[in-house]
């Protein structure tokens, strides 16, 4: 507090502190007329002043030199090195003003600026002179917060400069994302945590608070607001939990402070590194990316039961950006429930996970931030583009989920010959294609297997031969099982044939019966069971297949799996054939 | 007149009729109007062009929708029907006449790939 220099203060109280060894110390309580502060110590060379009553309660003095120490527990103490008595106590009529104790810690952190001495205002605004235009109004959160450590005059540093080797810092940042409280319970006990991401002009960082810090700070933090944060612990970032660009992440500890900041001008809203949808193809599966686009369509919300038997809401939507490409985005839980896709809003997601489901698709994670019509330049650009031209585009989808009635503009039609000629599936990732083909062979042997009866578990069970069946995955034994289909088939078109594997849904479609019934039939009526397979043979469908080169012990083979089976839409098929014929003849 | 049932019948539309004078054809079109006598009716093909179909016996039923007529082309460019059947629109998917016409054109433009003119052995 260099501003104490040359500040006339008057002494309200002096206390002599005896110390066993060494000279006594005098502790002073000083006032500036508005507030009192008791953390003043007279340096020993000035002891005589106190002993000779030159410095006595009610005298007015001028501190000419001082040094401020910060104690281990964070309290500040001003050591007076040189002081001049302006008015001796006898000449001062009485207490000046009606000072109240100055509570340290309610002061906002400020940049160290050689500020002109200014008395702390009653509403405790940051002591500073020039650079930060702080509003003078009282901050509403002050009353809420019990300061654990005094504000002090630490520098405000950029987030990008935070590192584990410096402890005295303060950052001024906006909270872009605040998670809910997560609790856990394991052998070592219980705990809770919450995390948030903060951003300033220089960068962003992830902040986590555990247990007590959850109680202290969770309700104080509002996403979108700016805070001064200091004294967190920095450590190397665990990239598993965050995609933020920072080598470090912060953990709040007992000494950390979070103080709301009124001035938010310079602090950016959010830092996003948007990837164009067409580029997502080049990114790796499971990459965490930021995307922004126009939400063209939204599906209804559905409820899914997860592996851990939790019910969760799910909603998919399609997002298109200026690359003209479309991708399917999946939202979960609360985000799914509150999402409103009316009016084709601009949607930005920070920290979505890229998956290779259906080729390429995006999923919002617990840690993702979903923004609708965000107030950022990219959003305005998108809106303008979409209103002018984008809305008319059909858009090519990166997610090959919906082949919508035989195929929209998006379907990747191939003949079985093409699959071999073009070496589909030989790349790093699987290839998806659609074809019209006829079933020419169905393998009925080993088409059914005994699976774990638990919902969501389809692992093959081991027959214990005692009436019980064991599932290794669930680590349980059951008195029953459910039949599931794995159908090996050969499909053919005019040019080539292909061995494919059909799982439950597609197999049931092809055979026209469900697995349970077929299992029954197999056990009781072999002839009828065979008949099902006979009837299913030589039927033509639209197959949506996935091909991938798989390697088993030095041998590489293309494995084809049927993702979806649909009856042929003859109109669509005819149109496509006519179009292709005309195209070929024009070449 | 060649026995219509024993020879291949080219599928045609209205504009092709003049080229098939005296030959058996199969014409698919939408019924537009039935002559009051019931002995002829007018159809329009997938291109919207008209054709006249004449009958040996007057009609005994209501005709509407898409109809497939098998018969012989006269010198006047009309078709004398040997048989017809109505493609019912209330059953299954509706018949796309325009798409049919496109397919028809392909068959005629690339007739070398569609060798239908193999006569049945006597």
């Amino acid at each position: 507090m260099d501003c104490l220099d040359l500040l006339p203060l008057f002494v309200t109280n002096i206390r002599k502190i005896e110390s066993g060894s060494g000279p006594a110390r005098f502790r002073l309580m000083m006032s500036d007329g508005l507030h009192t502060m008791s953390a003043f110590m007279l340096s020993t060379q000035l002891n005589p002043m106190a002993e000779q009553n030159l410095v006595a309660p009610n005298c007015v003095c001028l501190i000419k030199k001082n040094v401020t120490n910060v104690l281990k527990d964070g309290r500040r103490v001003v050591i007076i090195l040189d002081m001049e008595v302006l008015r001796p106590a006898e000449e001062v009529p009485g207490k000046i003003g009606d000072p109240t104790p100055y509570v340290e810690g309610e002061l906002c952190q400020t940049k160290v600026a050689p500020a002109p001495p200014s008395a702390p205002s009653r509403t405790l605004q940051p002591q500073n002179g020039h650079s930060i235009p702080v509003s003078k109004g009282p901050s509403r959160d002050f009353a809420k917060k019990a300061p654990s450590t005094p504000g002090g005059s630490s520098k405000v540093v950029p987030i990008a400069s935070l590192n584990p080797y410096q402890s005295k810092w303060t950052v001024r940042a906006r909270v872009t994302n605040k998670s809910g409280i997560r609790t856990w319970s394991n052998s070592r006990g219980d705990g809770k945590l919450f995390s948030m991401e903060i951003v300033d002009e220089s960068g962003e960082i992830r902040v986590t608070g555990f247990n007590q810090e959850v109680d202290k700070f969770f309700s104080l933090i509002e996403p979108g607001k700016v805070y001064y944060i200091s004294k967190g612990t920095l450590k190397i970032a665990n990239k598993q939990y965050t995609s933020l660009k920072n080598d470090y992440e912060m953990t709040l500890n007992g000494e950390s402070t979070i103080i709301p900041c009124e001035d938010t001008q310079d602090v950016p809203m959010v830092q996003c590194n948007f990837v164009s949808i067409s580029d997502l193809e080049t990114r790796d599966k499971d990459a965490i990316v930021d995307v922004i686009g126009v939400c063209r369509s939204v599906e209804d919300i559905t409820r899914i039961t997860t592996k851990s038997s939790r019910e969760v809401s799910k909603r998919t939507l399609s997002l298109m950006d200026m690359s003209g490409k479309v991708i399917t985005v999946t939202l979960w839980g609360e985000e799914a429930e509150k999402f409103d896709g009316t009016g084709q809003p601009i949607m930005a997601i920070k920290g979505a996970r890229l998956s290779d489901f259906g080729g390429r698709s995006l999923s919002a994670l617990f840690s993702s931030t979903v923004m609708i019509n965000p107030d950022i330049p990219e959003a305005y650009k998108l809106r303008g583009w979409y209103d002018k031209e984008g809305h008319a585009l059909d858009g090519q989808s990166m997610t090959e989920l919906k082949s919508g009635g035989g195929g929209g503009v998006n379907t990747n039609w191939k003949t079985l010959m093409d699959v071999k000629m073009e070496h589909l599936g030989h790349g790093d990732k699987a290839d998806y294609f659609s074809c019209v083909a006829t079933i020419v062979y169905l393998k009925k042997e080993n088409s059914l297997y005994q699976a774990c009866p638990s919902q969501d578990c389809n692992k093959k069970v081991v027959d214990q031969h005692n009436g019980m069946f064991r599932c290794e995955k669930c680590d349980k034994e059951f008195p029953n099982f459910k039949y599931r289909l794995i159908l090996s088939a050969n499909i053919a078109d005019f040019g080539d044939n292909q061995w494919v594997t059909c799982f439950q849904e597609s197999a049931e479609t092809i055979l026209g019966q469900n697995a349970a019934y077929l299992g029954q039939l197999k056990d009781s009526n072999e002839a009828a069971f065979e008949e099902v397979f006979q009837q299913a043979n030589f039927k033509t469908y639209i197959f949506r297949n996935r091909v991938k080169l798989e390697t088993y012990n030095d041998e590489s083979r293309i494995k084809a799996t049927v993702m979806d089976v649909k009856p042929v839409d003859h109109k669509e098929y005819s149109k496509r054939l006519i179009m292709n014929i005309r195209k070929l003849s024009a070449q | 007149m060649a026995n219509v049932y024993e020879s291949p019948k080219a599928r045609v539309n209205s504009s092709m009729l003049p080229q098939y004078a005296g030959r058996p054809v199969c014409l698919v079109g939408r019924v537009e109007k039935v002559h009051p006598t019931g002995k002829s009716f007018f159809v329009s093909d997938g291109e919207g062009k008209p054709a006249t179909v004449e009958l040996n016996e007057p009609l005994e039923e209501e005709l509407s929708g898409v109809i497939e007529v098998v018969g012989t082309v006269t010198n006047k460019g009309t078709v004398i029907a040997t048989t017809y059947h109505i493609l019912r629109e209330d059953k299954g998917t509706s018949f796309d006449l325009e798409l049919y016409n496109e397919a028809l054109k392909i068959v005629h433009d690339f007739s070398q790939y569609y060798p239908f003119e193999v006569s049945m052995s006597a």
Side-chain angles (χ1 to χ4, degrees), chain A residues 202-216:
Chain A
S202 73
E204 49 187 4
I205 192 167
R206 182 186 162 82
V207 181
T208 308
F210 291 89
N211 302 318
Q212 282 159 330
E213 277 66 55
V214 175
D215 296 327
K216 243 200 277 182

Side-chain angles (χ1 to χ4, degrees), chain A residues 152-169:
Chain A
S153 50
S154 304
K155 290 181 199 283
V156 169
V157 298
I159 286 180
S161 73
L162 290 176
N163 63 70
Y165 314 110
Q166 277 177 307
S167 53
K168 290 203 189 69
W169 48 260

Side-chain angles (χ1 to χ4, degrees), chain A residues 282-311:
Chain A
T282 62
R283 296 299 185 99
D284 291 325
K285 156 180 141 95
D286 291 338
I288 306 287
V289 290
D290 304 336
V291 275
I292 187 168
V294 181
C295 170
R296 297 232 302 181
S297 62
V298 190
E299 304 293 311
D300 286 332
I301 214 174
T302 59
R303 290 196 75 76
I304 307 269
T305 315
T306 69
K307 286 202 180 61
S308 38
S309 305
R310 256 189 323 130
E311 273 231 326

Side-chain angles (χ1 to χ4, degrees), chain A residues 492-511:
Chain A
D493 63 13
F494 67 90
D496 210 331
N497 70 354
Q498 177 72 49
W499 283 99
V500 297
T501 306
C502 309
F503 292 103
Q504 186 84 338
E505 291 77 21
S506 40
E508 285 180 338
T509 308
I510 287 172
L511 293 171

Side-chain angles (χ1 to χ4, degrees), chain A residues 570-572 574-575 577-579 581-582 585, chain B residues 94-96 99 102-103 105-106 109-110 114:
Chain A
H570 293 282
K571 272 198 203 172
E572 184 275 329
S574 306
K575 283 197 187 117
L577 287 171
I578 290 172
M579 188 178 73
I581 291 173
R582 291 289 177 203
S585 72
Chain B
S94 62
F95 190 83
D96 188 336
L99 186 60
E102 289 302 311
K105 288 203 300 201
I106 297 260
D109 291 347
F110 303 98
Y114 298 94

Side-chain angles (χ1 to χ4, degrees), chain A residues 71 78-79 87 98 113 120 143 204 244 333 357 392 442 465 518 529 553 560 562 586:
Chain A
L71 297 182
V78 180
I79 314 285
R87 279 265 138 72
D98 194 5
E204 49 187 4
L244 293 192
F357 180 71
L442 287 168
H465 298 294
L518 282 168
F529 182 69
N553 308 328
V562 176

Side-chain angles (χ1 to χ4, degrees), chain A residues 263-278:
Chain A
D263 169 43
T264 61
Q265 275 182 13
D266 303 324
V267 185
M269 290 289 287
V270 71
Q271 266 214 358
C272 276
N273 203 5
F274 294 120
V275 179
S276 125
I277 292 179
S278 55

Side-chain angles (χ1 to χ4, degrees), chain A residues 348-376:
Chain A
I349 314 187
K350 184 169 159 59
R353 195 204 349 242
L354 185 64
S355 135
D356 69 350
F357 180 71
R360 278 290 178 270
S361 54
L362 287 169
S363 181
L365 303 170
F366 187 71
S367 54
S368 307
T369 313
V370 176
M371 296 165 272
I372 308 295
N373 290 321
D375 189 12
I376 51 180

